[in-house]
Amino acid sequence: MNSSWRLKDLQTGTVNRKVPKQMSETRSAATLFEYQRYLYVSSKTDSFRGGTLFLTDRTIGLLECLNSKRPFLEIGRNSIKPLNYVGVVRANGFTIQIFPKLFAQESCREQRATVAGNLLKMLSCTGNVPITEVDPAGLDLRKMDLFEVFIHLFAKNLLITIKNSLKREYIRNSDELRVIRGRIDFRRHTNPARMHIIPCRYHELSVDNLLNRTLKYTCYLMSKTVSDFTTIRLLRSIVNLLDPVALAPVSVAEIDRIAFSRLNRIFEPYIRMCRIFLSNSSLTLQASEVESFSLLIPMERLFEEFIGAVLAENPAYFFGRNVPVRPQAVVGRLARDANGAEFFNMRPDIVIGAPQIEAVIDTKYKQLDPGDRKLGVSQADLYQMYAYAAKTNAGRCMLLYPEVLLEQKRDFIFSVRSTEGVDANVPLMIRAVRLSHDLNRREGWKAFRSELQGLVKPLIAGQEPWTTMGQGRVGVEI
């Protein structure tokens, strides 16, 4: 699974300013949950009532246009089913908010504030968005939609960063001066009547650089799209702090030319967010409202990076000793050609141990099926894990899923021949971890880490003994 999504995998479109900030079931907003089907009816006005979407033909057309870029909805003749993206979509003044399904269906809607808070906590742990901390007390997650929350946290953290370290860099300038500055441009210093005017080329330490212009331009546009007064005030404060910086349009191609170093690395996540906001956007300095906007997060990659970041933060706690945890490490290549050139990187989600690989974890953002004797684990996933086990000589492997319904545990055995020609039995552990703990509360975060520790600690030899779960040891023929 490729985890290099960062912010480039978030989808964006355009934004309508005149959208209220309420996210509850109202005429202007709907809260949906992934993989749950909702009926929709063609209507003259957009609304969400009784679990049914009432959408105008124009809104449906805009949703289909956004969906054609990267499918996040399954749109049928009379139903809509959110897929594996969560976030917020605004079309024709109507907001559709898609949440991850972290609870059983009957309690999802009652726990929407916890779901929103957990989503923000997961994003803050991965470091892919400029959210360094989540303060649920300062945000009414029951009323603010995700777009407003994202922009609020972006503006709040960016304002603090700019106050502490406003980015300055040397800009190359040329000008005609009365005193020498930098180097004299002798090619232009040839008019005897103007020898008192000296053409110079010099470098000036300035705040008016591409990085700051990107931040100012994006914050200015954001202030025209949000409706929360506190967020608007934060964005305007940023624009005022960047007063010496020119307010001019910045393209995505220009943003891609920004080079980061140890001096400006702190601004990198903010620039990523700016790029996402401006990508495929028709917002301009003159526009006051546009038709649609989408900010969507691929949950399978977020889940993968969240688990990897949590384990890597404190390996000694999770595994009993300070064993290296390497997310997305290349462990080898799958094939080579006749000339010996190797192709196709093998990159498990999480590799435990270095240089000797002790265990491999691959995350799967799918729901297990407790009614199936194999729990719904796909054959393709088994092939993938067998390849990892054979290539790395790992002692144990794990497929880790999110838990929604019941606690799921099951074990399989791979018969793998090592590079020394010795046959070995490699356990494959099927586990699921709950994401329904309130991750923004101390007790909820502690309970989640404790549960995750109990799942992964047996992966390391010398820790708790491995025992089979479910229906006992099952041989798997690959």
Side-chain angles (χ1 to χ4, degrees):
M1 189 185 299
N2 179 15
S3 70
S4 60
W5 63 282
R6 300 301 170 190
L7 285 177
K8 66 182 180 182
D9 286 311
L10 303 185
Q11 245 184 301
T12 57
T14 54
V15 188
N16 189 305
R17 174 181 173 85
K18 298 181 179 179
V19 178
K21 65 179 181 180
Q22 301 296 322
M23 79 171 197
S24 57
E25 298 178 16
T26 65
R27 292 176 177 265
S28 58
T31 300
L32 311 183
F33 290 87
E34 58 178 352
Y35 297 114
Q36 188 171 332
R37 193 172 297 277
Y38 298 85
L39 294 177
Y40 78 84
V41 178
S42 181
S43 175
K44 294 182 178 180
T45 58
D46 297 314
S47 62
F48 184 52
R49 303 190 303 272
T52 300
L53 290 161
F54 296 86
L55 303 175
T56 63
D57 292 340
R58 182 170 183 78
T59 301
I60 295 173
L62 289 171
L63 289 175
E64 289 176 341
C65 181
L66 290 172
N67 202 49
S68 65
K69 299 177 182 178
R70 180 177 300 171
F72 64 96
L73 294 174
E74 183 183 291
I75 303 178
R77 294 185 59 183
N78 58 359
S79 66
I80 288 178
K81 178 182 176 181
L83 300 178
N84 60 330
Y85 283 84
V86 298
V88 63
V89 178
R90 289 182 175 179
N92 196 30
F94 185 68
T95 300
I96 295 179
Q97 187 170 237
I98 304 173
F99 277 171
K101 194 172 182 180
L102 306 183
F103 296 86
Q105 182 170 338
E106 60 272 10
S107 61
C108 270
R109 197 159 300 280
E110 290 76 10
Q111 302 289 342
R112 80 178 85 192
T114 301
V115 174
N118 285 2
L119 178 60
L120 294 172
K121 178 68 174 181
M122 293 171 70
L123 287 168
S124 68
C125 287
T126 62
N128 291 324
V129 293
I131 301 174
T132 56
E133 59 178 319
V134 181
D135 180 15
L139 296 171
D140 192 346
L141 298 177
R142 295 170 299 177
K143 295 182 178 181
M144 295 179 69
D145 66 40
L146 280 178
F147 175 73
E148 296 276 350
V149 171
F150 276 127
I151 302 304
H152 177 88
L153 293 173
F154 168 85
K156 178 182 176 182
N157 288 281
L158 178 58
L159 182 59
I160 296 172
T161 303
I162 289 179
K163 285 181 177 179
N164 293 333
S165 55
L166 182 60
K167 173 59 183 172
R168 292 177 172 86
E169 62 184 43
Y170 284 99
I171 306 296
R172 181 180 298 175
N173 285 329
S174 60
D175 200 358
E176 293 183 339
L177 307 173
R178 293 183 178 273
V179 295
I180 297 175
R181 186 174 183 183
R183 291 185 175 184
I184 300 175
D185 188 355
F186 288 101
R187 292 174 300 178
R188 298 166 53 198
H189 195 40
T190 56
N191 189 345
R194 302 183 72 246
M195 296 303 289
H196 61 291
I197 302 297
I198 308 171
C200 298
R201 290 182 297 174
Y202 58 94
H203 288 83
E204 180 181 19
L205 188 62
S206 173
V207 297
D208 192 6
N209 51 65
L210 181 56
L211 188 149
N212 287 336
R213 286 198 298 272
T214 301
L215 295 175
K216 183 172 183 176
Y217 178 58
T218 306
C219 289
Y220 176 79
L221 295 182
M222 285 179 174
S223 67
K224 298 166 62 177
T225 65
V226 296
S227 56
D228 181 66
F229 176 75
T230 303
T231 306
I232 294 174
R233 186 175 59 186
L234 290 171
L235 292 167
R236 288 178 177 173
S237 297
I238 295 171
V239 172
N240 292 336
L241 281 176
L242 296 175
D243 185 61
V245 179
L247 178 60
V250 177
S251 67
V252 174
E254 289 178 296
I255 295 176
D256 290 338
R257 292 201 300 268
I258 297 176
F260 293 98
S261 65
R262 63 181 181 84
L263 299 177
N264 64 355
R265 187 73 62 186
I266 191 173
F267 289 99
E268 187 172 5
Y270 299 101
I271 295 299
R272 290 199 195 114
M273 189 73 172
C274 292
R275 188 188 188 284
I276 293 308
F277 186 83
L278 298 176
S279 295
N280 304 316
S281 175
S282 64
L283 275 172
T284 65
L285 291 172
Q286 293 77 32
S288 60
E289 57 180 281
V290 284
E291 292 183 319
S292 60
F293 175 85
S294 63
L295 179 63
L296 299 168
I297 304 159
M299 274 304 298
E300 73 280 2
R301 296 180 183 177
L302 178 59
F303 177 61
E304 167 196 327
E305 293 198 3
F306 171 64
I307 296 297
V310 172
L311 293 178
E313 184 181 14
N314 190 357
Y317 171 78
F318 290 103
F319 300 105
R321 54 189 170 90
N322 198 23
V323 59
V325 176
R326 297 179 292 156
Q328 284 292 307
V330 176
V331 297
R333 289 176 173 81
L334 188 61
R336 60 175 179 265
D337 63 12
N339 298 321
E342 296 184 331
F343 297 91
F344 307 110
N345 286 341
M346 300 182 68
R347 195 190 299 267
D349 293 342
I350 304 169
V351 177
I352 313 299
Q356 175 62 38
I357 296 175
E358 300 186 49
V360 170
I361 302 175
D362 215 59
T363 60
K364 301 294 179 184
Y365 191 76
K366 306 172 184 177
Q367 289 188 27
L368 293 174
D369 182 4
D372 184 78
R373 69 185 185 92
K374 295 182 293 185
L375 294 180
V377 177
S378 72
Q379 189 170 356
D381 293 340
L382 289 179
Y383 280 132
Q384 183 184 29
M385 296 307 294
Y386 181 83
Y388 291 155
K391 190 69 176 181
T392 63
N393 290 329
R396 294 173 184 178
C397 298
M398 175 181 286
L399 283 172
L400 185 62
Y401 296 79
E403 178 187 314
V404 175
L405 299 175
L406 302 171
E407 182 181 6
Q408 308 297 337
K409 291 184 179 180
R410 185 69 184 276
D411 298 318
F412 298 97
I413 298 291
F414 287 138
S415 294
V416 177
R417 174 159 293 187
S418 69
T419 54
E420 291 80 15
V422 179
D423 290 334
N425 290 330
V426 179
L428 172 64
M429 305 164 65
I430 311 298
R431 298 292 185 268
V433 61
R434 283 186 296 168
L435 299 177
S436 56
H437 300 284
D438 191 340
L439 303 181
N440 290 292
R441 292 184 178 275
R442 180 178 299 179
E443 58 273 17
W445 181 244
K446 182 179 179 181
F448 167 75
R449 294 178 79 248
S450 177
E451 180 179 330
L452 184 59
Q453 180 201 45
L455 296 176
V456 302
K457 195 171 184 179
L459 283 171
I460 300 300
Q463 303 299 327
E464 299 176 4
W466 177 76
T467 57
T468 57
M469 298 290 178
Q471 298 179 4
R473 297 171 57 136
V474 180
V476 180
E477 295 182 359
I478 301 295

